[in-house]
Amino acid sequence: MSFYVTTPIYYVNAAPHLGHAYSTIAADVMARNMRQRGEDVFFLTGTDEHGEPVALAAEREGLTPQELVDKNAPRFVDLMPRLNVSNDFFIRTTDPEHKAKVQEVLGRIRENGHVYEGVYEGWYCPRCADFKTDAEAGEDHLCPIHKLPLTREKEDNYFFRLSAFQDDLLKLLDEQPDFVMPRHRYNEARSFIESGLQDVSLSRSTFTWGVPVPWDEGHVFYVWFDALLNYYSALSYARPGEDLTDRFWPAQFHLIGKDILKFHTVFWPAMLLAAGLPLPEHVFVHGFLLIGKDKMGKSAGNAIDPFNIMDEYGTDALRFYLMREVSFGHDGAVSEEGFRARYESELANDFGNLASRTIAMVHRYRDGVVPRAELDPELAAEIDGLAGEVCEQLDRADIAAAGEAIWMRVRRLNRYVEEQAPWTLAKDPARANELDTVLASLVEGLRVVGVVLHPWLPESTGKLLGALDSPQVELECARMQAGRLGAISKLEPLFPKP
Ligand code: ME8
């Protein structure tokens, strides 16, 4: 089976922040889990480089737009290996191949009769690069997101006949209720469509920083149409000399934040229908990371820099915190105190200590060789269901539930240590077989948890599995007794207390 997962492509006119890291890590957890299942995976992320906000930012800095994006895009490109995400390609919408594909697909939409010329007059937010309805503009004509004054725009535009797709989109939501996930976001998309769709601007003619409209030189495509097509265009040129479109299109999951729901659940499927292209299976809309009660972001000026946290605590700790602290699909507050608390209680204590003491006991009582013993059947039964459970949760992008299923096992293994008290068994030579069983069961339990947890903590589970001399991370190894049970190495603390 093929599995294609995407993140939004990020605007390059500000620095990457924790919100960008959040969507990207989530996609990485899903991609890595699918690879563990042996699926054919493609994971895409990238940058959104056209549009008026970029042109305006370049002007402020005295650069050309191309100079600005070439200066800023590397910050996002470099973020990916720092986050240890396993993206298969990084798209930049200034790539010539992307631009050609945008012209091709939008040209097809025009040939199919869904484009007409007209005059746009209305409210526009240059920060959102989005036109606002009168209801959104309100009486004070402020952007509802940025609280900045909207500008009154009047210009010749090409329009996309979005209104013609109202019934098709409702039918899509009826027939594919998990097209938009989770349910509360489905309801939001549905009521937006039911409230009546207006045609939308497909091009802009007051600036030039964009993909040229091939049939009219005075226009560039409206940045959102250019940006959305990245999900489709990337497949055609990510591998030189090879077109991956048939192999991976349609995508299984677009992961996005709730700020861009309208574009992905209304504009995007309508565009694809207009072009005669297959629709993605799911758009999963996650919530916002909050600082206190406010959305964290560049506009609010409260953005947390992910690089600082990773410098101090490491990449795994950041990945783990974000995936565990905020239930995927809902808003959730993040803070440095919350980060430290979870690091200490779950990574250092629950997981790190379990690993250290299990390995230390094998060295103390059995000279570093895991005994070949019967495993505890009760414990084995509880651990063996884990991989299946986690896959089921991740198929619904319920990353928090998957994380909790794993953590139940981590806690279970810690209880097992306390219940069995290997240090007492070790004092009584007559109970050597029991001690063998406890040690072998603990090592196997720890190994299985390490395999299943690999997408969350790729680096530290790699170290752990290496020490256990069982580096395989395929999910078919996530069963008790699939491990090697031989000599194991010592292990430095995985999550040292700062
Ligand atoms: O909207 N909490 O780019 P962008 C959680 N280029 N996620 C957050 C977040 C927060 N506080 N802040 C940002 C754009 N994000 C367009 C997208 S896609 C074809 C074009 C994440 O740089 C979240 O995924 O403003 C959100 O949707 C995205 O960053 C917006 O990034």
Side-chain angles (χ1 to χ4, degrees), residues 118-279:
V119 177
Y120 174 80
E121 186 171 1
W123 299 104
Y124 178 79
C125 171
R127 278 285 181 85
C128 295
D130 189 17
F131 298 98
K132 304 291 168 184
T133 61
D134 287 339
E136 285 170 324
E139 280 184 7
D140 47 5
H141 306 137
L142 290 180
C143 168
I145 297 170
H146 297 102
K147 315 288 175 217
L148 292 172
L150 298 170
T151 56
R152 189 74 187 169
E153 299 280 331
K154 184 172 182 191
E155 63 181 74
D156 292 333
N157 277 180
Y158 288 96
F159 282 83
F160 171 57
R161 232 179 265 286
L162 181 65
S163 59
F165 290 92
Q166 175 147 353
D167 292 343
D168 288 330
L169 291 175
L170 289 173
K171 188 159 158 254
L172 164 70
L173 293 184
D174 284 339
E175 288 173 359
Q176 244 175 276
D178 54 4
F179 177 71
V180 184
M181 298 162 76
R183 193 66 195 179
H184 54 287
R185 299 295 168 210
Y186 170 95
N187 293 336
E188 197 178 321
R190 183 160 195 115
S191 58
F192 184 86
I193 299 166
E194 280 171 348
S195 73
L197 297 180
Q198 294 170 9
D199 294 344
V200 288
S201 284
L202 177 70
S203 71
R204 303 290 315 273
S205 54
T206 53
F207 61 93
T208 55
W209 182 240
V211 178
V213 170
W215 63 85
D216 187 335
E217 282 179 357
H219 290 247
V220 293
F221 285 115
Y222 173 41
V223 65
W224 270 100
F225 286 86
D226 158 4
L228 286 163
L229 275 167
N230 90 86
Y231 303 128
Y232 181 70
S233 71
L235 296 175
S236 66
Y237 70 97
R239 294 288 168 272
E242 202 183 344
D243 190 331
L244 302 174
T245 311
D246 287 345
R247 190 160 138 204
F248 291 108
W249 191 260
Q252 273 58 50
F253 272 98
H254 294 312
L255 303 188
I256 61 162
K258 67 181 187 182
D259 48 341
I260 53 180
L261 173 135
K262 175 180 80 178
F263 300 102
H264 285 81
T265 64
V266 183
F267 288 25
W268 180 226
M271 270 171 86
L272 290 167
L273 288 169
L277 292 170
L279 303 186

Side-chain angles (χ1 to χ4, degrees), residues 7-11 17 19-20 22-23 48 76 224 227-228 230-231 255-260 264 286-290 295-298:
T7 73
I9 48 171
Y10 306 116
Y11 287 131
H17 62 70
H20 301 131
Y22 181 61
S23 312
D48 187 355
F76 286 86
W224 270 100
L228 286 163
N230 90 86
Y231 303 128
L255 303 188
I256 61 162
K258 67 181 187 182
D259 48 341
I260 53 180
H264 285 81
H286 67 67
F288 284 153
L289 303 183
L290 307 175
K295 181 197 172 197
M296 191 198 68
K298 57 176 187 240

Side-chain angles (χ1 to χ4, degrees), residues 199 231 240 300 309 328 440 464 470 483:
D199 294 344
Y231 303 128
I309 299 183
F328 205 52
L464 169 66
S470 286

Side-chain angles (χ1 to χ4, degrees), residues 50-72:
H50 290 128
E52 200 170 16
V54 173
L56 292 174
E59 211 175 282
R60 281 196 297 273
E61 292 191 33
L63 299 171
T64 66
Q66 187 67 51
E67 284 168 345
L68 179 82
V69 299
D70 287 344
K71 183 171 84 112
N72 286 356

